[in-house]
Amino acid sequence: MTMSSNHTNLRDIWYTMIGIPGLEDAHVWLSIPICSMYIVALIGNTLLIFLIFTEHSLHEPMYLFLSMLALADIILSTVTTPKVLAIFWFQAGGISFASCVSQMFFLHFMFVTESAILLAMAIDRYIAICFPLRYTTILTPSVICRMGIASVTRSFLIIFPLVFLVYRLNYCGRNIIRHSYCEHMGIARLACDSIKVNIYYGMTVPLFSIGLDIMLIIISYTLILHTVFRIPSQNARRKALGTCGSHVCVILLFYTPSLFTFFAHRFGGHTIPRHMHILFANLYVVVPPALNPIIYGVKTKQIQDRFFQLFSFTKACF
């Protein structure tokens, strides 16, 4: 048997994720806020989707995009959090190579998809404020559906090559993943081959796509502000800005921790402790999904009204 075959067969062994290196004694305590936020994310986003699809008045483009975001949040947090909690509670860090690559794919895929949905929501606000009379004729249900399909397709085309990039590598027996979930560079660093292609692709292509989304979101809001400040009525101006408040909060909540984690992991290795990288990486897959439905629930009157109607109905039944 050749050395190359031995390396390839090592993909069949189980790998072990150790959680947050240096904070093993605090795993049980760290699991409490992570588990709590995960439960809030599941309940909050499921309830949000239910409210939108059962209330006809919420079948508007803004809320349909919001339901897409809620579904993406559920998937993003569920891809990682159950396994993280299994590691923290039961030291169940074992995972096969195929399962690890699957988790890697869906993690990065949902992140890029959610970024695309946030861009679609920014475009929605731009059309609603800058072209209010044409809003419903431009963003028809078929257009919204095509935008959703385009977001998923683009994310798949960007992330799927990562699967080939990790499968092409030879692995020499290192099977300890110093993280609480599988991500692209964490897998690639276990290989004994050169991972330059993985580094270049993993840094440039996803970052370029996310950077493009951020740039287009900034352009959208620049045009929105330009239009809003030309409105003579102060009340109308406040109302227009109010419709964007929730979305801006969600954008900052999504991009700030994820970009910090991305750059800290690649450029801050000597200045930021590794356990802080991984702790932050665990939080950014549960904190935004947990807070997004709360933000929209607090700031959106139509969702509040529908929630209280449902709550009153449920209370009357019992």
Side-chain angles (χ1 to χ4, degrees), residues 43-55 57-67 69-70 121 243 246-247 250 291-311:
I43 295 173
N45 286 292
T46 302
L47 180 61
L48 195 58
I49 294 170
F50 176 78
L51 293 176
I52 291 170
F53 279 93
T54 55
E55 176 56 44
S57 64
L58 297 179
H59 292 179
E60 298 178 8
M62 171 184 170
Y63 300 110
L64 294 177
F65 285 125
L66 180 56
S67 67
L69 181 68
M121 295 174 76
T243 62
S246 302
H247 187 230
V250 168
L291 293 182
N292 287 350
I294 296 173
I295 291 170
Y296 274 99
V298 169
K299 288 184 169 287
T300 309
K301 187 177 184 301
Q302 293 93 323
I303 293 176
Q304 286 181 25
D305 292 343
R306 177 58 182 148
F307 173 77
F308 287 123
Q309 282 178 9
L310 181 66
F311 180 76

Side-chain angles (χ1 to χ4, degrees), residues 14 64 85 119 129 200 208 223 230 268 278 314-315:
W14 277 64
L64 294 177
L85 294 176
L119 172 59
I129 292 173
Y200 294 148
F208 175 78
L223 296 172
R230 290 166 58 192
I278 299 174
T314 306
K315 190 175 180 182

